[in-house]
Amino acid sequence: MVNQQSTLPSATELAERARAAAERCGVDLNQVSGDHDVISPINGQPLYSVAWQDSAGVDAAIKTANDAFLQWRTVPAPVRGALVKRLGELLTEHKDDLAELVSAEVGKITSEARGEVQEMIDICEFALGLSRQLYGKTMVSERAGHRLMETWHPLGVVGVISAFNFPVAVWSWNTALALVCGDPVIWKPSETAPMCALASNALLQRAIAETEDAPEGLSQVVIGGADVGQALVENPGIALLSATGSTRMGRTVGPLVAERFGRSLLELGGNNAAIVTPSADLDLAVRGIVFAAAGTAGQRCTTMRRVIVHSSIGEELVQRLKAVYERLPIGDPQREGTLIGPLINERSFTGFDAAVQQAGEQGGEVVVGGARELATEAPEAFYVQPTLITMPGQSEVVRTETFAPITYVLTYDGDVTEAIALNNDVPQGLSSSIFTSDLGEAELFVSAAGSDCGIANVNIGTSGAEIGGAFGGEKETGGGRESGSDAWQAYMRRATNTINYSGALPLAQGVNFDVD
């Protein structure tokens, strides 16, 4: 790997840039300051301090949001769409500012940080069109003179708990849809990225102030620890809770929401694989694998963690990947040319190091990477080498998601059904892909007998989903769907309506209940 340690910014320089970006978005730093330091993973130093709220603050926010809901639900959806349109315009205007904060708080390289903000802009455009397409169906009634139909209505307050790795995009996926569907939003961001949330919300507050009929309390941010998240989860005033995080988190959140008969939308772990068949274009496969496996320092839920390659081309693919991995520039994510930034914190590095050791104990061989970088220059930041490990089989460490840039290479000898079985033989079911020039293999992979993941791609990697399609996965990934397609339906309640215009009262199924 190419080491770029000499360009790491000083604590003062990085903090000044982040603070200036937040202020340009409309954040009053004096009002949000407190005693909880926000540490940048770029250099391991504080950026600023923010105030945390407690569970009582969450309860107050939910009451305010429910009051706003009573007004917002009656506003015509196209008018609600105008608010989201204005938010998209402000996000476009402040794209560089938000990208600066995303990079500073979570360590994304600049192009990925800008790409995340572009996702926010894209979902606003999608939601604007959606505001005129909240369609219900009209069905044929078995009774003459009757109309059978369904209508969709605003659901209530939506709670959003987001993770560090997409500190703004996940909020926007939920918020843009929730707003056009008639729902207020309360957002608990990751403790590592509070200023991203405060800046995003400041832009939305500006849009709310400029939009007629948009009430106060439509969008709120609550910053705090686990107690704040738990308060959102347990409060019956939250009609839908959208939570992004680990499978462990989902095992706690899902039952608690279900216990109060609330709705939950869970986006949890991924252990994503690419199958590479003998007919694959290896140049294409290498490009797709490297971005999906090493991008965002392996800290995407859609990161490619397994490569399942046919044994006839396995060695060639491994050597090609090794050659690219050895050239990946590691260092300051805000420096032009850097492709690999830091892990979010020491705990992530501990998980990375433990997984590399466990893979060796389970028969794995490190082909490239496996070590820490920049430890001398930045002892409180955690940069690691993207790592490729060949494995003799799908052992326990391979079946476990490690949120770091580790990719395990497995081989198969038979036909593509053997590879598909390996792809499916993990607890998670988020994203998957196949590289092939064989139409039959491609169609089988995306069929009912193919990948069991929520995302199944052909000749692209596992990362980089567009907002037009519903995003989410199966099994331990949680089953939730966000973003495009018909994901909007989770934010509304459906009513089935029967309208009798016949003047008579025939019963369905031919039931006779006449009274003399």
Side-chain angles (χ1 to χ4, degrees):
M1 285 73 173
V2 181
N3 190 310
Q4 303 202 83
Q5 70 271 26
S6 61
T7 62
L8 289 180
S10 68
T12 300
E13 176 188 0
L14 190 59
E16 286 179 349
R17 292 203 305 260
R19 293 170 67 90
E23 288 178 331
R24 287 193 294 270
C25 290
V27 178
D28 185 335
L29 294 175
N30 292 323
Q31 287 190 355
V32 302
S33 64
D35 56 0
H36 290 269
D37 286 343
V38 178
I39 306 298
S40 174
I42 294 176
N43 55 18
Q45 301 300 313
L47 291 168
Y48 26 65
S49 297
V50 298
W52 281 17
Q53 290 160 275
D54 56 19
S55 57
V58 175
D59 292 342
I62 293 173
K63 183 182 184 307
T64 299
N66 273 290
D67 290 342
F69 172 65
L70 299 179
Q71 178 179 341
W72 190 238
R73 66 182 178 178
T74 63
V75 174
V79 178
R80 302 193 297 247
L83 168 60
V84 177
K85 176 185 178 182
R86 181 57 181 146
L87 173 61
E89 293 169 348
L90 292 171
L91 290 171
T92 302
E93 181 181 340
H94 291 277
K95 183 175 181 177
D96 289 343
D97 295 325
L98 275 181
E100 177 79 37
L101 290 170
V102 169
S103 184
E105 289 196 319
V106 305
K108 285 194 177 184
I109 63 173
T110 298
S111 66
E112 288 194 63
R114 288 176 56 84
E116 181 170 352
V117 182
Q118 186 61 49
E119 283 192 43
M120 304 174 79
I121 297 165
D122 292 346
I123 196 64
C124 287
E125 293 178 353
F126 178 91
L128 172 61
L130 178 65
S131 69
R132 294 180 182 272
Q133 300 179 74
L134 300 175
Y135 300 139
K137 297 176 181 177
T138 298
M139 289 73 74
V140 176
S141 174
E142 66 184 66
R143 291 169 284 185
H146 286 61
R147 179 156 62 92
L148 184 62
M149 62 183 237
E150 66 180 22
T151 49
W152 292 87
H153 303 293
L155 178 65
V157 179
V158 174
V160 178
I161 298 176
S162 61
F164 79 86
N165 59 326
F166 278 88
V168 292
V170 169
W171 168 76
S172 69
W173 296 350
N174 285 277
T175 298
L177 298 190
L179 289 174
V180 299
C181 289
D183 305 328
V185 177
I186 298 176
W187 180 17
K188 183 205 174 297
S190 167
E191 299 94 314
T192 63
M195 200 61 72
C196 287
L198 293 168
S200 299
N201 189 59
L203 295 175
L204 179 51
Q205 292 300 334
R206 178 175 163 188
I208 290 170
E210 297 173 2
T211 302
E212 188 176 355
D213 296 324
E216 292 185 11
L218 204 52
S219 172
Q220 298 173 80
V221 173
V222 289
I223 296 172
D227 61 322
V228 168
Q230 185 169 351
L232 278 177
V233 169
E234 295 181 344
N235 195 305
I238 297 294
L240 170 67
L241 183 83
S242 174
T244 302
S246 67
T247 298
R248 178 181 58 80
M249 181 270 288
R251 291 189 194 280
T252 300
V253 168
L256 288 173
V257 176
E259 185 177 354
R260 60 175 178 81
F261 297 100
R263 293 189 194 179
S264 60
L265 195 165
L266 301 177
E267 297 286 359
L268 310 176
N271 194 351
N272 316 293
I275 295 170
V276 185
T277 74
S279 68
D281 178 336
L282 289 188
D283 290 335
L284 190 69
V286 168
R287 291 181 61 193
I289 290 169
V290 171
F291 170 67
T296 326
Q299 297 172 115
R300 289 182 178 228
C301 53
T302 55
T303 290
M304 189 182 299
R305 309 203 181 280
R306 298 174 294 144
V307 172
I308 302 168
V309 57
H310 195 271
S311 56
S312 64
I313 57 171
E315 182 60 28
E316 180 182 358
L317 179 64
V318 167
Q319 291 306 312
R320 287 194 184 201
L321 290 171
K322 180 176 183 289
V324 176
Y325 271 48
E326 288 174 339
R327 302 196 305 272
L328 291 173
I330 303 171
D332 177 9
Q334 296 181 335
R335 180 179 184 271
E336 185 176 357
T338 298
L339 295 179
I340 310 298
L343 296 179
I344 189 66
N345 53 32
E346 184 175 7
R347 185 173 66 178
S348 290
F349 169 70
T350 299
F352 165 86
D353 193 49
V356 173
Q357 299 304 317
Q358 291 166 18
E361 294 167 0
Q362 295 170 23
E365 180 180 340
V366 175
V367 176
V368 63
R372 186 179 175 187
E373 290 278 348
L374 312 183
T376 302
E377 292 78 9
E380 296 176 316
F382 296 90
Y383 294 80
V384 298
Q385 301 167 347
T387 302
L388 202 65
I389 303 176
T390 57
M391 296 295 295
Q394 197 146 261
S395 66
E396 187 60 32
V397 72
V398 179
R399 289 167 52 82
T400 303
E401 180 187 36
T402 300
F403 223 57
I406 300 174
T407 308
Y408 304 106
V409 180
L410 310 168
T411 59
Y412 71 101
D413 298 315
D415 63 19
V416 74
T417 60
E418 180 185 345
I420 291 173
L422 281 170
N423 175 81
N424 295 349
D425 187 29
V426 294
Q428 310 86 356
L430 178 53
S431 187
S432 58
S433 68
I434 188 170
F435 289 90
T436 181
S437 297
D438 185 309
L439 180 60
E441 290 179 335
E443 290 291 343
L444 177 63
F445 183 73
V446 299
S447 76
S451 169
D452 65 359
C453 297
I455 299 169
N457 297 329
V458 176
N459 289 329
I460 62 171
T462 55
S463 290
E466 299 179 33
I467 60 92
F471 180 89
E474 303 300 326
K475 302 187 294 189
E476 289 189 0
T477 300
R481 293 296 185 275
E482 294 174 320
S483 195
S485 185
D486 62 357
W488 62 271
Q489 293 181 358
Y491 303 84
M492 304 196 81
R493 61 178 179 87
R494 183 197 321 238
T496 300
N497 313 126
T498 303
I499 300 174
N500 177 8
Y501 58 91
S502 69
L505 194 64
L507 300 178
Q509 295 85 46
V511 174
N512 186 344
F513 202 75
D514 291 335
V515 179
D516 292 335

